[in-house]
Amino acid sequence: MTLVVNPGESISMPMLYIITPTYKRQEQIPDLTRLAQTLMHVPSIMWLVIEDAEMLNPQVAALLRRTGIKYLHMLAPMPKDQKMRKVKARGVSNRNKGLQWIRENFVDQNGVIYFADDDNTYDLRLFDEIRSVKRVGMWPVGLLTSYGMSSPVVKNGRVTGFYDGWVANRKFPVDMAGFGVSVSMIIKNPKGNMPYVPGYEEDGFLRNLNVKITEIEPKAENCTKIYVWHTQTKKNKAPAKVNATIHGQDNIWTLYQQII
Amino acid sequence: MTLVVNPGESISMPMLYIITPTYKRQEQIPDLTRLAQTLMHVPSIMWLVIEDAEMLNPQVAALLRRTGIKYLHMLAPMPKDQKMRKVKARGVSNRNKGLQWIRENFVDQNGVIYFADDDNTYDLRLFDEIRSVKRVGMWPVGLLTSYGMSSPVVKNGRVTGFYDGWVANRKFPVDMAGFGVSVSMIIKNPKGNMPYVPGYEEDGFLRNLNVKITEIEPKAENCTKIYVWHTQTKKNKAPAKVNATIHGQDNIWTLYQQII
C-alpha cells in the first residue's frame, strides 16, 4: 500500500476498493456527483468506476478528475448473450471486471472490497465499518422491499439468519450494499466471481467465495444501525427536442447538447 | 459576520444561508444525509433545516449534530387551512420561517439566501456561483419537466427569457433550485415572502421581492452549465410489521423502531 498521509489519515489504514457499476442515462451525472461528494470525505480509498458501455462517457471522466479521489475509470459492457435476455443481471460484467483488476493489481492485502451502486445513499460512518472487515462483514441496508430493510439477524454477537424480503432460496439473502469482503478472500478464491443470475448475484458471489455463515462479521453495532440505504432516483423521460430555429444560437442549445 | 477562518476559507467570504424545508418520511434521513455530506464541503454556510411537523425529528437532530455544519433546526408546520387543500403548496411555511429568521438575525448583509430541497443534487461548484450573487442570480436546473431542464435564456450576457416546461402565466418561470437572492434584498423588502399558491411559489416570491428581469445576474458561465438537478427519490411504501414473536428480542426489532 502506498502511504500517502493526509490530515486525519492513519498510515496503517487498510485501503477500501469501492467498485461502482454505472451506465449512461439522464440521472447518471447527478447520481455520480452525489456519490463522489460523499467519497471525497473518505480517506484511503480507490474508486473503480466501471461503465456498461462501449465508450467511456467524457462527462463521467471530467467528474472523476475533479474529485481528487484516487480512481480508475474502466469499461465492461454487458455480454451480447446477456443483453438479449428479458430480465438482465445488470452490473455483473462491471463488478467482475473490478474483481479482476483487484486480483491483478492489489497493493494492500489488508484492503476491503465494497460494491457501491451509484444511486444508493451512504452515511460516512459506513466506511469505517467496511474498513474493519477481516474476511466478510455484513450490515443492514435500508429502504429495501416491502420489509423496508434487509439485515442479518444477530443474536449474542453472531449472525443466526437473515431478514430480507427479496427472492427465496438463497443461502445469503443480502443486498449488494450490505456486505464487504477482504482483498485476501478475493485473492484466495480466484473463481469467486458474480454469476449472471438476476436476483442471485450476491448469493452466487458469496457462495463462489466459499463464505461460511459462521464466519460472517456483523457490523454497524451488531446490525442495529442503518448506514446505507437503497435509495432509487426516479427515472426521467428523454427531454423534448429544443427548437433550433428559436434557440440554435443561445445557451439553451448548449445545455441541450449536455443532457442528450 | 463572525470571522471563523478555516483552511481554504477567506475572511471576506459572504455567508450562504441555505434554507431546507423537510418533512418526516422513510426517505427523509437518507435524503438529508446526502445533502449534509455535500454541504460539509462548503465553507461559510448557515444551514436552516425547517421541518413541516409538530415536533422536531430526533433523528434529524442527531444527523445535524454529527455534521459539524453551523445549523438551525426549526419547526414550521403547514397552516391548517392549507393542509385541507387538495393540491398543497409544500415547503412554503418552512421557507417563510427561514426568511423571517434571517430578517431578524442576519449577521452578514453581503450574505446570499438559497432554497435547497433535501432531495435535489448539488454539484459543489454551485455554491461558488450562489456566493457571487449581488442581488438576484439565476442558473440552469437539470431533470425538470418534459424539457429535461429549466433555465434562463441568455443572450450577450443578459437574461432575455426563460426555457421552462412548468405552469404558464409566470413572470419568473424558474425552479426553486434555480436562483439565489441577497440578504440585502430580503431586508429591503420585508413583505417579500412566498405565497401559498401551488406552482407559483417561486414566481410569487420573486414578484413580492420586486425583482426586475433586467437585474437578474446569469450565473454558471452564462447559464451554460448545469450544477443542480431536480432529482427525486422514489417513495417507498410503509414497511411490513415485524413479527414480535420471532424478532422481539433481536436486532431486527431495534432496526424496525428506527424506520417507522
Side-chain angles (χ1 to χ4, degrees):
Chain A
M1 158 180 196
T2 316
L3 299 177
V4 182
V5 185
N6 293 323
E9 181 169 342
S10 156
I11 54 164
S12 61
M13 201 174 256
M15 177 79 82
L16 298 188
Y17 293 93
I18 311 284
I19 298 175
T20 297
T22 186
Y23 65 100
K24 195 165 160 55
R25 61 195 189 279
Q26 273 198 88
E27 299 76 22
Q28 182 183 34
I29 296 301
D31 279 346
L32 284 171
T33 296
R34 275 199 284 214
L35 175 52
Q37 290 172 182
T38 283
L39 294 180
M40 282 162 68
H41 290 290
V42 185
S44 194
I45 63 168
M46 164 73 106
W47 191 16
L48 283 72
V49 177
I50 309 178
E51 294 195 60
D52 179 353
E54 300 294 332
M55 266 179 57
L56 295 177
N57 180 344
Q59 288 185 304
V60 173
L63 188 163
L64 291 172
R65 277 195 299 273
R66 282 196 306 272
T67 62
I69 298 170
K70 201 164 157 181
Y71 71 88
L72 262 173
H73 186 193
M74 298 190 287
L75 288 175
M78 188 184 288
K80 279 200 183 107
D81 57 325
Q82 296 297 327
K83 265 192 182 169
M84 283 157 56
R85 292 184 167 198
K86 258 193 189 166
V87 183
K88 296 172 185 67
R90 270 198 185 281
V92 172
S93 57
N94 322 41
R95 295 190 195 97
N96 283 337
K97 174 88 170 196
L99 294 171
Q100 185 198 340
W101 185 90
I102 288 162
R103 286 192 174 100
E104 292 168 1
N105 301 283
F106 77 96
V107 281
D108 182 11
Q109 201 157 351
N110 297 317
V112 186
I113 284 152
Y114 181 61
F115 298 118
D117 287 357
D118 58 6
D119 53 351
N120 288 338
T121 300
Y122 308 90
D123 184 310
L124 289 176
R125 292 174 293 178
L126 176 70
F127 300 97
D128 299 325
E129 302 294 323
I130 304 174
R131 211 184 296 274
S132 72
V133 167
K134 294 299 165 220
R135 295 173 60 80
V136 186
M138 292 192 182
W139 44 79
V141 181
L143 295 178
L144 266 182
T145 81
S146 60
Y147 287 19
M149 57 174 158
S150 165
S151 176
V153 177
V154 179
K155 283 175 185 158
N156 302 318
R158 299 192 71 95
V159 173
T160 61
F162 298 91
Y163 185 79
D164 183 286
W166 188 230
V167 295
N169 298 319
R170 287 177 296 165
K171 184 176 177 186
F172 301 102
V174 295
D175 183 68
M176 201 62 79
F179 64 90
V181 297
S182 66
V183 167
S184 57
M185 285 275 290
I186 299 293
I187 305 304
K188 278 180 205 151
N189 297 277
K191 293 191 173 164
N193 284 323
M194 193 166 286
Y196 286 94
V197 187
Y200 295 84
E201 293 94 334
E202 300 90 343
D203 186 49
F205 172 62
L206 293 167
R207 281 170 183 265
N208 289 346
L209 277 184
N210 299 303
V211 170
K212 294 174 195 70
I213 290 196
T214 50
E215 70 184 341
I216 298 168
E217 305 147 48
K219 297 289 178 184
E221 299 186 23
N222 274 320
C223 295
T224 60
K225 302 282 180 187
I226 298 173
Y227 293 154
V228 53
W229 294 265
H230 185 250
T231 41
Q232 292 178 277
T233 308
K234 217 171 116 182
K235 294 250 182 298
N236 290 263
K237 283 185 195 160
K241 222 183 152 191
V242 167
N243 186 326
T245 314
I246 301 175
H247 292 294
Q249 306 296 319
D250 65 31
N251 65 312
I252 303 303
W253 193 253
T254 311
L255 288 170
Y256 181 61
Q257 302 310 315
Q258 297 166 49
I259 65 170
I260 50 170
Chain B
M1 157 180 196
T2 316
L3 299 177
V4 183
V5 185
N6 293 323
E9 181 169 342
S10 156
I11 53 163
S12 61
M13 199 173 257
M15 176 79 82
L16 298 189
Y17 294 92
I18 311 284
I19 298 176
T20 297
T22 186
Y23 65 98
K24 196 165 160 52
R25 62 196 189 277
Q26 273 199 88
E27 300 75 21
Q28 183 184 31
I29 297 299
D31 278 347
L32 284 171
T33 296
R34 276 199 282 214
L35 175 52
Q37 292 173 181
T38 283
L39 294 180
M40 283 162 67
H41 290 291
V42 186
S44 195
I45 63 167
M46 165 72 106
W47 192 16
L48 284 71
V49 178
I50 309 178
E51 295 196 60
D52 178 352
E54 298 295 333
M55 267 180 55
L56 295 176
N57 179 344
Q59 289 186 303
V60 173
L63 188 164
L64 291 172
R65 278 195 299 271
R66 282 196 306 274
T67 62
I69 298 170
K70 201 165 159 181
Y71 70 88
L72 262 174
H73 186 192
M74 298 191 287
L75 289 175
M78 189 185 287
K80 280 202 182 106
D81 58 323
Q82 295 299 325
K83 265 192 182 169
M84 283 158 56
R85 291 184 169 200
K86 259 193 189 167
V87 183
K88 296 172 184 67
R90 273 199 183 279
V92 172
S93 57
N94 322 40
R95 296 189 195 95
N96 283 337
K97 174 88 170 193
L99 293 171
Q100 185 199 339
W101 185 90
I102 289 162
R103 286 191 175 102
E104 292 168 1
N105 300 281
F106 77 97
V107 281
D108 183 12
Q109 201 156 353
N110 296 317
V112 186
I113 284 152
Y114 182 61
F115 298 118
D117 287 356
D118 58 7
D119 54 350
N120 288 338
T121 300
Y122 307 91
D123 185 310
L124 290 176
R125 292 174 291 179
L126 176 69
F127 301 96
D128 299 325
E129 301 295 324
I130 303 174
R131 211 184 298 274
S132 72
V133 167
K134 295 296 163 222
R135 297 173 59 81
V136 186
M138 293 192 182
W139 45 79
V141 181
L143 295 177
L144 266 181
T145 81
S146 61
Y147 288 18
M149 59 175 161
S150 166
S151 175
V153 177
V154 179
K155 282 174 187 160
N156 303 318
R158 301 192 69 96
V159 173
T160 61
F162 298 90
Y163 185 78
D164 183 286
W166 190 231
V167 294
N169 299 320
R170 288 177 295 164
K171 183 175 176 188
F172 301 102
V174 295
D175 182 69
M176 201 63 77
F179 64 90
V181 296
S182 67
V183 167
S184 59
M185 285 275 289
I186 299 293
I187 306 303
K188 276 179 207 152
N189 297 277
K191 294 192 174 165
N193 284 324
M194 194 167 286
Y196 286 93
V197 187
Y200 295 83
E201 293 94 333
E202 299 89 344
D203 185 49
F205 173 61
L206 294 167
R207 282 170 181 265
N208 290 345
L209 277 184
N210 298 304
V211 171
K212 294 176 195 68
I213 289 196
T214 50
E215 69 185 341
I216 297 169
E217 304 148 48
K219 297 289 179 183
E221 298 186 24
N222 274 321
C223 296
T224 60
K225 302 281 182 188
I226 298 173
Y227 293 153
V228 53
W229 294 266
H230 184 251
T231 42
Q232 291 178 278
T233 308
K234 218 170 115 180
K235 294 250 183 296
N236 291 262
K237 282 185 195 161
K241 222 184 153 192
V242 167
N243 186 324
T245 314
I246 301 174
H247 291 295
Q249 305 296 321
D250 65 32
N251 64 312
I252 303 303
W253 193 253
T254 311
L255 288 170
Y256 182 61
Q257 303 310 316
Q258 296 167 48
I259 66 172
I260 52 171

